[in-house]
Amino acid sequence: MSKYSEIISGAMTWGSWGKQFSESEMSDMITHCVSIGISTFDHADIYGGYTTEAQFGKALTASKINRDDIQLISKCGIQYLSENRNNKVKHYDYSKDYIIWSVEESLKNLETEYLDLFLLHRPSPLMHPDEIAEAITILKSDGKIRDFGVSNFTPSQMEMLSLRVDIDVNQIEFSLTARDAMHDGTLDYMLTNGIKPMAWSPLGSVFKEDTEQTRRIHKQLGELLDKYSATEDQLLLSWSLKHPSRIIPVVGTTNKKRLQQAINAAQIELELEDWFLILVAAQGHKVP
């Protein structure tokens, strides 16, 4: 049994970067997610310009949900240009003290004593594996984080870091229209080394752009809807879910109907040739 729900709710747009939910609206959304089987919530310190975690924390406390029934993910490392930080330029900071301080800030804002999963948000050219490992060892021994992972890391970056500290998760961009991780060794490395992939933007550009590629994809998905009694977004999720690395999608929608559709997509088992039909539609040519 996975430590995380089959679909993860991404909270990036819940606050000032999107929906601007009130505390009661946010509390209702948390309760709804849990009621349909989405128990894992994905955050980063920078969301909402360093404000969304604290709003979520208040809403979580108000919801009266048992903390042990959910999983909280957060990330650090991006020093973002915001009125809440005195930064001259967007940059990355993976010093030991900053990592520890950042986790403690997230815990305070989320009104919780521990993170189920803590991620380094993006790789920095200046990160040193020894310093990161030292911070993570302290955070784990203090019970402030349970699992550790990375986000947007390449195989070589994961390998460098994993020599010093265990990596449980890499959260990457992956979808039918953003498939690099399937070909550049990222998912291979994770499957080989038992690192769980989580995918942000799991629907890709299919509903955001009108291009030759997205028109081909819509046409192919349309021909499979009846066969699987599914919607296009469900077929897109099921396409990613078929990968043997057992990807967990992080969905950003706050639409309750689409959240339920995402949960149901985890039950769809695409036939082998249908998976390749969808891939070919995305590529615009047959496989080699």
Side-chain angles (χ1 to χ4, degrees):
M1 172 128 177
S2 174
K3 295 177 181 180
Y4 312 103
S5 50
E6 291 179 303
I7 301 292
I8 293 171
S9 176
M12 185 175 79
T13 63
W14 287 28
S16 66
W17 283 5
K19 296 295 181 181
Q20 300 186 24
F21 283 150
S22 66
E23 182 183 308
S24 61
E25 288 171 328
M26 207 173 273
S27 189
D28 174 68
M29 184 56 61
I30 296 168
T31 303
H32 177 75
C33 286
V34 173
S35 74
I36 63 172
I38 299 176
S39 61
T40 309
F41 298 89
D42 179 73
H43 288 272
D45 56 353
I46 63 169
Y47 292 165
Y50 300 99
T51 63
T52 303
E53 281 188 329
Q55 292 166 344
F56 184 97
K58 287 186 178 68
L60 177 61
T61 299
S63 75
K64 301 286 196 289
I65 286 171
N66 185 333
R67 174 64 180 91
D68 293 335
D69 291 340
I70 63 165
Q71 301 82 46
L72 296 178
I73 302 170
S74 197
K75 316 176 192 75
C76 96
I78 300 177
Q79 281 274 30
Y80 200 73
L81 290 176
S82 161
E83 60 187 27
N84 298 305
R85 290 283 170 98
N86 187 27
N87 291 325
K88 296 193 294 275
V89 63
K90 182 183 177 186
H91 63 284
Y92 308 118
D93 188 344
Y94 289 121
S95 61
K96 182 184 92 170
D97 289 346
Y98 180 74
I99 292 171
I100 292 170
W101 176 84
S102 188
V103 167
E104 288 171 346
E105 283 294 293
S106 288
L107 295 179
K108 188 166 62 182
N109 289 330
L110 289 165
E111 301 189 12
T112 185
E113 294 181 354
Y114 65 94
L115 294 174
D116 296 270
L117 175 63
F118 169 64
L119 306 175
L120 306 185
H121 205 155
R122 284 191 177 272
S124 169
L126 298 178
M127 62 187 177
H128 197 294
D130 289 343
E131 191 158 8
I132 292 168
E134 200 177 337
I136 299 310
T137 300
I138 291 168
L139 289 165
K140 280 191 168 183
S141 66
D142 289 348
K144 291 175 180 173
I145 66 172
R146 293 195 169 172
D147 284 346
F148 166 70
V150 295
S151 186
N152 307 299
F153 273 49
T154 65
S156 63
Q157 290 162 342
M158 284 186 281
E159 184 162 28
M160 174 183 72
L161 195 51
S162 64
L163 292 173
R164 304 288 188 273
V165 62
D166 288 339
I167 299 173
D168 299 298
V169 167
N170 187 8
Q171 190 178 119
I172 57 172
E173 181 179 18
F174 186 76
S175 67
L176 181 62
T177 56
R179 305 179 304 279
D180 287 355
M182 201 166 71
H183 302 299
D184 65 11
T186 300
L187 285 172
D188 296 340
Y189 182 90
M190 292 160 76
L191 188 54
T192 301
N193 291 280
I195 298 172
K196 171 66 70 176
M198 294 176 178
W200 57 268
S201 195
L203 299 181
S205 62
V206 175
F207 300 108
K208 295 175 185 169
E209 299 174 6
D210 181 22
T211 63
E212 281 188 29
Q213 181 194 44
T214 59
R215 287 193 287 272
R216 287 195 308 267
I217 292 169
H218 284 302
K219 183 174 184 294
Q220 182 58 71
L221 294 176
E223 292 169 6
L224 294 170
L225 295 181
D226 288 345
K227 177 175 180 178
Y228 291 98
S229 300
T231 58
E232 288 191 4
D233 51 329
Q234 287 179 314
L235 291 179
L236 288 169
L237 290 175
S238 66
W239 185 87
S240 291
L241 289 166
K242 193 171 178 68
H243 193 275
S245 62
R246 310 298 294 174
I247 294 163
I248 307 179
V250 180
V251 301
T253 185
T254 55
N255 179 302
K256 291 180 178 179
K257 182 180 178 185
R258 287 185 62 194
L259 283 168
Q260 184 63 60
Q261 288 173 344
I263 280 287
N264 294 343
Q267 312 311 316
I268 296 171
E269 183 60 47
L270 281 179
E271 291 179 11
L272 182 68
E273 288 191 74
D274 290 340
W275 188 91
F276 278 96
L277 280 170
I278 295 170
L279 175 63
V280 168
Q283 292 182 157
H285 58 80
K286 66 183 180 180
V287 295

